[in-house]
Amino acid sequence: MEINKEVYSTVHHLIERCKDGAKGYKTAAEDVEDKDLKDLFRKYAVQRDSMITELQDQLHKMGKTDDESSSIEGTMHRAWIDIKSALTSKDRHRVLEECERGEDYAVKAYKEALEKNLPGDLKPIVEQQYNDVKSAHDHIRSLRDASKNA
């Protein structure tokens, strides 16, 4: 099944956001000291890797591959760029703020994708991934809020 450029571009954008999230969470998991956050960030990094695989599989079924070299956005989205400085500060609240900021971009990307006319099997996958990303975002936000009051 041939897919149009808009669908390909949409899926590619979601893959890029998931890659950013996976990389951001892996970085955070390596450097954060709190065991609960380390475990949570590892879980979310694995989740994003799984989402990437699922999206790439959908592209493959549609006769396309994810051309990693075509990313004009670079290897790391600005949303996750401050995670390193937050981690070096050892400030739990600040680390969670940066993770939430990264998640804001992912939630936005998925909302925009769901407004498009996605074909067949792709739509329920994107809907499920949106729910997973939104859930992660809300969990990170609640941890951030709790850390502010700690």
Side-chain angles (χ1 to χ4, degrees):
M1 174 176 113
E2 185 62 29
I3 63 170
N4 67 38
K5 285 183 179 171
E6 183 185 30
V7 171
Y8 173 78
S9 174
T10 298
V11 174
H12 178 71
H13 184 68
L14 293 178
I15 289 169
E16 289 301 309
R17 294 296 66 79
C18 288
K19 286 178 181 177
D20 293 342
K23 185 168 182 170
Y25 280 125
K26 284 174 189 164
T27 299
E30 288 169 8
D31 294 345
V32 76
E33 292 179 347
D34 299 356
K35 181 171 177 4
D36 65 322
L37 291 184
K38 192 176 280 288
D39 292 344
L40 182 68
F41 294 160
R42 282 184 185 136
K43 175 184 143 191
Y44 286 151
V46 168
Q47 176 195 60
R48 297 307 152 90
D49 283 339
S50 167
M51 292 163 76
I52 292 164
T53 301
E54 201 170 25
L55 291 170
Q56 288 173 333
D57 184 52
Q58 286 300 305
L59 282 182
H60 183 70
K61 286 179 181 174
M62 295 181 239
K64 295 275 188 186
T65 57
D66 181 40
D67 180 8
E68 295 183 31
S69 65
S70 71
S71 174
I72 57 171
E73 297 158 286
T75 57
M76 188 71 166
H77 194 274
R78 273 182 231 92
W80 286 93
I81 221 68
D82 290 333
I83 193 74
K84 268 295 194 196
S85 64
L87 287 162
T88 57
S89 74
K90 307 289 188 219
D91 181 339
R92 180 183 174 97
H93 181 74
R94 187 148 170 249
V95 168
L96 289 165
E97 274 182 336
E98 291 306 320
C99 289
E100 183 190 12
R101 199 161 62 92
E103 289 292 23
D104 288 342
Y105 285 92
V107 168
K108 181 177 183 274
Y110 273 91
K111 277 185 181 174
E112 290 170 357
L114 288 171
E115 292 170 7
K116 309 255 166 91
N117 186 17
L118 301 174
D121 294 343
L122 185 58
K123 188 164 182 72
I125 288 169
V126 171
E127 285 171 344
Q128 180 58 55
Q129 289 188 0
Y130 167 75
N131 290 332
D132 292 343
V133 167
K134 182 83 172 87
S135 175
H137 171 275
D138 294 349
H139 186 199
I140 294 288
R141 185 182 57 211
S142 69
L143 290 171
R144 183 214 60 201
D145 290 348
S147 73
K148 187 169 39 179
N149 303 325

